[in-house]
Amino acid sequence: MFRTALRNVLAHKARLLMTVLAVMLGVAFVSGTLVFTNTLSNALQNSSAKGFDQVDVAVTAKTPKDTGDRIGRAPELTEDLRGRSAEVPGAASAVGVVTGFTALADKDGKLVGGGFQSQGGNYWGTEDPRYPLQEGSAPHGANEVAIDSETARRAGYEVGDTVRLSVDGPVLTPKITGIFTTDDGNVTAGGSLALFDTATAQQLFGKTGTYDEIDVKAAAGTSQAALKAALDKALAEDLVETTTGRRLADDQAETIASSMSGLKQVLLVFAGIALFVGTFIIANTFTMLVAQRTKELALLRAVGASRRQVTRSVLIEAFAVGAVAGVAGLVAGIGIGAGLRSLVGTLGATIPDGPLVVSPGTVAAALLVGVVITMLAAWLPGRRAAKIPPVAAMSSLHATASTKSMVLRNTLGALFSAAGVAVVLVATTMDGSDGQAPMGLGAVLLIIGVFVLTPLLSRPLIAAAAPALRVFGVSGKLARQNSVRNPRRTAATASALMIGLTLITGMTVMAGSLQTSIDKMASAAIEADYVVSMANGNALSPDVEKKLSSTAGVTASSPLRNAPARIDGKTEYVTGVTGSAIGELTDLTVDDGSFEVGGARVVVDGDTAASHGWKAGSAFTVTYEDGQKQRLTVAGVYQGNQMIRGIMLDNTALAPHQDDPADMQVMVKTSGGVSDATQDELEKALGSNPAIRVQSKQDLSDQIAQMFTLMLNMLYGLLAMAVIVAVLGVINTLAMSVFERSQEIGMLRAIGLDRRAVKRMVRLESLVISLFGGVLGIGLGVFFGWAAGELLGTRMATYELVVPWGRMALFLVLAAGVGVLAALWPARRAARLNMLAAIKSE
């Protein structure tokens, strides 16, 4: 039986090629994902480890503890502490580290890097071992800076050039005195690093006389553990903690591995989808192969082969196909991993150099996935073939499915579908995260149910296309009959395309609905013409609001200043605003009381008020950062949203209790309204600062839309793999259908059907099957998009279902295109059959 199985594999190389391709693509996606993420993770870990080469022990301030009414403050790392650290036995030197956001502009005035990746710090002395100078000298004084070599290369800067940069708002124009190399992870990821002398950095980052961290280097012969123990003993009275450089590198490696695991899981999900779609094709292929060899298998049974041996022979074929596809998929996956790495570089992201990592786990996963998926998909057809009685099989080429089996299948499909719809509908009535698990379970049940019911659904849906097919005469009629002749085969082929289009449609509906809802939220909550913020999301200097309020044409402005406070024994954040202007800058619906902010009167969003049991007129005590208390009164309760929520109080009440006030945003209303001229005027008032964004409501919406578009395009690209596998499935089905119907096609040719009509017949059959899968996929996708939207609506009051009919039509056209493309080779093959040879074929 083993030799028989291998002979069958070699005898049907052309028929099994599509199966190998389907499995190979899925395996390639899995192995490519593993190679790419392992390579990226390894390169980042090696790079980050180099960054700790100059750190044997790091001294940092202890995290402040919650002391009840008063909010704890972190201790300061002073110059005295650094000096004492350097004098500890076993210490060679101690370097004070200061860091902070530093936006650096290129020669066109645009921000270098991606906001949060734009960093600044201090250069220690004249030769800092952390940052070896490539050219030039160390910075000295407020008008000098050193930048990393990657930023210099990307922006075209050289030693002696003047650069525009910003730390906390004002624009600085220091001269570049040095260019250094670094293994800093932010620079590696495409950001920038600007270094000032220590005194300047401390002044710019608000750390005068203090440091964020003290890095201690061990003397020769002293281990990191010994140095840590000595520092712990010497600094026992100080509120600091020590960490070895090895521990920091390990922690960083764990963080990188954790972040990579998220990316790996997302990519593997789409690889799984491609494999899931490919499973249908494999099962379909083996079903047709077994059907074509029914007489052969029956003869084996007649000469003494048992059912188990027949099933085993089919599984051996599947093992051979899976092994070949697994090896080919692994090789292709290594290429995909290398290609993804290059693609990341072309998209602007910079990753460290390093070898391509092909781990034993990746090899094992590729081979295991290829073999197991293929054998699982082939098991049912093999088992079904073994159960056919030898006499019945030898008397007929095809054993039709019994009525009992179809009734059982339709009953199971109906039960799964009904259960799936019921669970999804129940999930839509739940709140947010509580409904996610039931929603996922219902979606899986419904997809399984529809897949099982697809043979039953194929007849009425394909029959609906009959009027259109009549236009094509005999070819159209034959195409319709061929499509419904074997409902199971048609269902398996259409289901592969259905799953891909379900996911694509569902995500498109969700993204469009979310975008519309966010637009409504912005227009409903914000009356300001512009919102000003930092490019990296950090806090703005209070000077920004002062400059804006004094700019010609500005009629109202207010900062949104977040600050921690203690309320009812718990830490909560309050938002400081300009009470006299906030009502003019926002348009929030007030459910209780009035929107009045000033003195001790505050407004609170509905959720916060409900959690504390407040209403208009309620009073409560707040404890500020400095430990001072104040009695506040709720003037009104408003409807909050994702953009504006929380407790709003006047800045005149909040500011006296803040040592270092910082604004998250500034809202601005102008007499001229939204225009390019007004926006230019506001940007000029802020010194054309590359770190500060001046955005209208439309700009905010466009920014969010860009994020959704980028996400959708990435998902479309990943799901394209599933669509490609589906195309292979349609080609495979049609090619085997043509082979199976060779005698019939030869007879049609003999009685007058010309080659063009034969081609048309096969193309129309492919088109009908593809459109059938497309209609099912789009219908399920819209349903899932609606259901997920209902779940989101419990947390987003402005959520509104938007069905993008234009894109739905485009997806249907895509399904039709799949059908036309898939039919090219099978139609040509059918038309070229020799009619006499075909008539004589078995």
Side-chain angles (χ1 to χ4, degrees), residues 123 128-135 179-183:
Y123 192 94
D128 193 330
R130 300 173 300 167
Y131 308 110
L133 285 170
Q134 193 176 72
E135 56 180 299
I179 295 175
F180 58 88
T181 59
T182 179
D183 292 309

Side-chain angles (χ1 to χ4, degrees), residues 565-568 572 574 600-604 608 612 614-615 617-624 629-635 647-649:
R566 298 283 299 182
I567 301 172
D568 294 341
E572 292 195 31
V574 297
R601 296 176 66 79
V602 302
V603 293
V604 185
T608 302
H612 289 281
W614 296 337
K615 59 182 180 179
S618 298
F620 62 94
T621 300
V622 62
T623 303
Y624 295 109
K629 298 182 179 181
Q630 184 179 7
R631 193 74 174 166
L632 301 176
T633 302
V634 177
I647 303 170
M648 289 189 201
L649 73 161

Side-chain angles (χ1 to χ4, degrees), residues 326-371:
V327 172
L330 174 63
V331 174
I334 294 172
I336 288 175
L340 284 173
R341 178 174 173 173
S342 300
L343 179 62
V344 168
T346 59
L347 292 176
T350 305
I351 59 175
D353 292 330
L356 203 64
V357 178
V358 184
S359 67
T362 300
V363 176
L367 296 177
L368 190 65
V369 166
V371 171

